[in-house]
């Protein structure tokens, strides 16, 4: 199994560490050559893609400049499992890649509460620690989307088929269960 981590900008190294810790092979995607190599060196049904946190506007621009936008959209629409965290959640929404039927509210917690940690129930997993950094929440979700967690009444995690998103940063705690759920999706066990 191999996970491609979008490494254009942002918090990609921490995801790599967590996936390595779970014994998973990873590769960084910085340009179209990396992506083409990933597709040719991995098997369908044995691979997934991860969108980290960072700055969604910058990531969107670089994806377009590097010619990654269309091939990655096609792969996700073709059922490649994807985990999007924070800015990665924003990238998948209706206003960006438009592959997931959600609308993200960016920088949703205001300046005072820009960054905070909490612990809440995550459907199917239990209570998980959640680190928010200038995070979004999900303000609209279509009928195919299952909301998996709330903080203060706002949706902060969701799944739609092969797409799993969290507004928080699971890679910044030592709780590996969100990544494990994603790896189960890659193995089609979840
Ligand atoms: N505020 C960032 C954005 O809008 C997301 C922050 C994050 O990924 N930690 O892209």
């Amino acid at each position: 199994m191999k996970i491609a981590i979008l490494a254009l900008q942002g918090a990609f190294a921490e995801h790599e560490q967590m996936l390595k810790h779970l014994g998973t092979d990873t590769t960084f995607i910085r340009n179209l050559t990396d992506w083409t190599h990933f597709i040719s060196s991995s098997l369908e049904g044995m691979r997934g893609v991860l969108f980290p946190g960072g700055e969604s506007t910058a990531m969107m621009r670089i994806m377009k400049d590097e010619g990654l936008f269309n091939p990655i959209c096609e792969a996700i629409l073709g059922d490649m499992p994807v985990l999007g965290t924070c800015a990665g959640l924003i990238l998948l929404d209706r206003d960006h890649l438009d592959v997931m039927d959600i609308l993200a509210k960016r920088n949703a917690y205001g300046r005072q509460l820009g960054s905070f940690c909490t612990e809440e129930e995550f459907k199917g997993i239990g209570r998980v620690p959640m680190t928010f950094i200038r995070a979004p929440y999900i303000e609209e979700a279509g009928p195919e989307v299952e909301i998996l967690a709330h903080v203060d009444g706002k949706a902060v995690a969701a799944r739609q088929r092969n797409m799993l998103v969290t507004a928080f940063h699971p890679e910044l705690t030592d709780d590996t269960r969100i990544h494990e759920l994603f790896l189960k999706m890659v193995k089609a066990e979840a």
Side-chain angles (χ1 to χ4, degrees):
M1 193 200 309
K2 201 166 187 178
I3 305 298
I5 303 174
L6 198 69
L8 307 174
Q9 187 270 342
F12 50 86
E14 293 83 353
H15 281 290
E16 185 201 31
Q17 271 173 24
M18 189 160 267
L19 289 170
K20 286 238 156 85
H21 175 73
L22 293 171
T24 308
D25 197 10
T26 58
T27 187
F28 286 144
I29 304 297
R30 295 201 161 91
N31 51 47
L32 192 53
T33 310
D34 293 342
W35 180 257
T36 310
H37 182 255
F38 166 62
I39 295 298
S40 62
S41 67
S42 59
L43 290 174
E44 205 176 336
M46 293 287 283
R47 60 190 174 208
V49 58
L50 195 152
F51 287 6
E55 190 49 57
S56 52
T57 311
M59 284 195 232
M60 187 76 174
R61 201 193 60 234
I62 304 170
M63 272 180 95
K64 284 187 172 160
D65 288 352
E66 295 293 336
L68 285 166
F69 186 92
N70 287 329
I72 293 185
C73 279
E74 276 166 28
I76 296 171
L77 290 172
D79 275 347
M80 186 186 290
V82 56
L83 170 62
T85 62
C86 203
L89 174 154
I90 297 169
L91 283 179
L92 294 169
D93 90 345
R94 291 176 193 152
D95 281 349
H96 295 82
L97 267 67
D98 194 22
V99 288
M100 192 165 177
D101 194 10
I102 56 169
L103 188 65
K105 184 166 174 62
R106 289 184 64 192
N107 300 321
Y109 297 93
R111 284 202 180 164
Q112 298 295 321
L113 273 176
S115 302
F116 61 98
C117 297
T118 185
E119 196 184 281
E120 283 296 339
E121 193 68 23
F122 191 106
K123 204 168 173 184
I125 290 185
R127 291 184 76 77
V128 298
M130 301 180 180
T131 303
F132 291 82
I133 304 171
R134 296 182 55 238
Y137 61 69
I138 300 165
E139 62 176 343
E140 281 177 36
E144 283 185 33
V145 178
E146 185 183 15
I147 301 299
L148 300 172
H150 288 91
V151 168
D152 294 335
K154 309 291 190 197
V156 296
R159 177 170 175 184
Q160 180 181 350
R161 295 191 330 271
N162 56 320
M163 297 170 267
L164 178 66
V165 290
T166 66
F168 54 92
H169 286 261
E171 79 285 8
L172 296 182
T173 65
D174 51 21
D175 191 311
T176 56
R177 289 174 295 169
I178 305 286
H179 288 77
E180 285 170 48
L181 172 60
F182 172 54
L183 295 178
K184 274 191 197 164
M185 287 166 61
V186 176
K187 291 182 204 146
E189 290 170 9

